[in-house]
Amino acid sequence: MIDSIRNLGLRNRVFLTILGIILLVGSLLYFKVQYDQSQALHNSYLSIAQNALDNRSQHLIIRIENLRNQTRFLSQTPPVQAIARAIKNNGFDQLEGNSRSIWEQRLKDIFKAFLQANPFYFQLRYIGVADNGKELIRVDYKNDQIITATGEQLQSKGDEKYFIETLKMSEGEIYISDVTLNREFGVVQLPHVRTIRASVLVFTPDGELFGMVVANMDIGPVFDISNVADSTWYKRLCQQSGG
């Protein structure tokens, strides 16, 4: 009788020991599976984040390169040099036989057409170095309208960082600014527009520094790819394509 009780106790102890081992192994396997799943999910998130970062970086590189090339193109359009010649000759361009006002209107038309065709851009300017960097021509895309600045709307930009830095560039070099919030008359524009500027110096045929062409691009959509459908430039692009 006593031996039977002892054997029962021994069997129970063996059973409990085996059960404990099974539970321990099961727990270890469970936590191992959970850990592996957690790591896989973490790596997946990292991969998605890296891909998004790479995509944004690539978009940013493309946008800046386009900004650089298109600003150079705008600075080489005929009215840019003609306006400089006219101003240096009391308002008349002897080379082409046209007045300053005619050339200014032609440059305004070019700027308007460019803004219509390029929804990332919202402002184009031709700035003289005289009068503390006074704007000669400024065309804006604002509130779904192309607006040409006149008279007192034209501002002096001689104290702006991009103006000062552009003056340090050599002929043909393009200055690319930091990303800042756009300001008009010293006041930050609302709603905020994250702006990057490209500018290139303009020289007269005899090598005298005359001014600069400046293009403002809304760079915000590059950082907000997930919200691209809500961006102003995307809506403009859809309007142009009939979408």
Side-chain angles (χ1 to χ4, degrees), residues 143 182 188-194:
N143 298 326
N182 190 56
V188 174
Q189 180 179 337
L190 294 176
H192 292 158
V193 180
R194 285 166 288 182

Side-chain angles (χ1 to χ4, degrees), residues 23-230:
L23 291 175
L24 177 61
V25 172
S27 297
L28 291 175
L29 288 174
Y30 172 79
F31 286 115
K32 179 65 167 60
V33 171
Q34 290 293 101
Y35 175 79
D36 289 344
Q37 290 179 341
S38 176
Q39 284 297 107
L41 188 60
H42 177 70
N43 292 336
S44 177
Y45 285 149
L46 285 179
S47 178
I48 292 172
Q50 186 62 51
N51 288 336
L53 181 60
D54 290 343
N55 287 336
R56 292 184 183 188
S57 298
Q58 189 63 30
H59 278 285
L60 184 59
I61 291 171
I62 292 172
R63 291 283 170 260
I64 291 176
E65 189 60 26
N66 286 340
L67 174 63
R68 188 190 309 275
N69 293 334
Q70 291 173 324
T71 302
R72 180 180 288 110
F73 163 77
L74 289 169
S75 72
Q76 294 172 348
T77 56
V80 171
Q81 279 293 324
I83 290 171
R85 292 194 302 266
I87 290 177
K88 291 294 183 180
N89 191 49
N90 298 317
F92 186 78
D93 173 29
Q94 288 184 324
L95 182 62
E96 297 290 341
N98 287 317
S99 67
R100 171 182 173 178
S101 60
I102 289 176
W103 282 118
E104 286 183 341
Q105 186 57 52
R106 289 179 182 176
L107 186 58
K108 291 174 185 177
D109 291 339
I110 291 172
F111 281 1
K112 290 176 183 178
F114 183 90
L115 289 178
Q116 286 281 13
N118 295 274
F120 290 102
Y121 296 79
F122 66 91
Q123 187 178 81
L124 298 174
R125 286 171 292 166
Y126 189 15
I127 301 175
V129 294
D131 299 326
N132 193 33
K134 185 68 177 290
E135 294 173 334
L136 302 172
I137 303 289
R138 189 179 84 241
V139 179
D140 300 276
Y141 190 98
K142 189 175 182 180
N143 298 326
D144 297 327
Q145 292 182 334
I146 299 284
I147 302 173
T148 301
T150 58
E152 295 181 354
Q153 296 173 338
L154 296 170
Q155 307 170 55
S156 293
K157 295 295 185 177
D159 296 329
E160 296 290 344
K161 180 181 178 181
Y162 68 85
F163 183 91
I164 296 171
E165 293 300 321
T166 303
L167 293 179
K168 301 176 184 178
M169 309 299 286
S170 300
E171 185 173 1
E173 289 186 316
I174 307 293
Y175 172 74
I176 301 295
S177 74
D178 297 330
V179 177
T180 60
L181 296 179
N182 190 56
R183 294 184 300 166
E184 296 298 341
F185 295 98
V187 179
V188 174
Q189 180 179 337
L190 294 176
H192 292 158
V193 180
R194 285 166 288 182
T195 305
I196 187 169
R197 300 170 181 84
S199 45
V200 58
L201 292 174
V202 175
F203 293 84
T204 61
D206 58 3
E208 181 183 356
L209 176 61
F210 176 80
M212 62 184 70
V213 172
V214 184
N216 287 21
M217 174 186 282
D218 179 3
I219 202 69
V222 176
F223 302 110
D224 300 329
I225 293 177
S226 60
N227 298 323
V228 66
D230 296 326

Side-chain angles (χ1 to χ4, degrees), residues 10-21:
L10 179 60
R11 286 196 296 272
N12 286 338
R13 287 198 297 271
V14 171
F15 173 76
L16 291 175
T17 300
I18 294 173
L19 181 61
I21 293 173

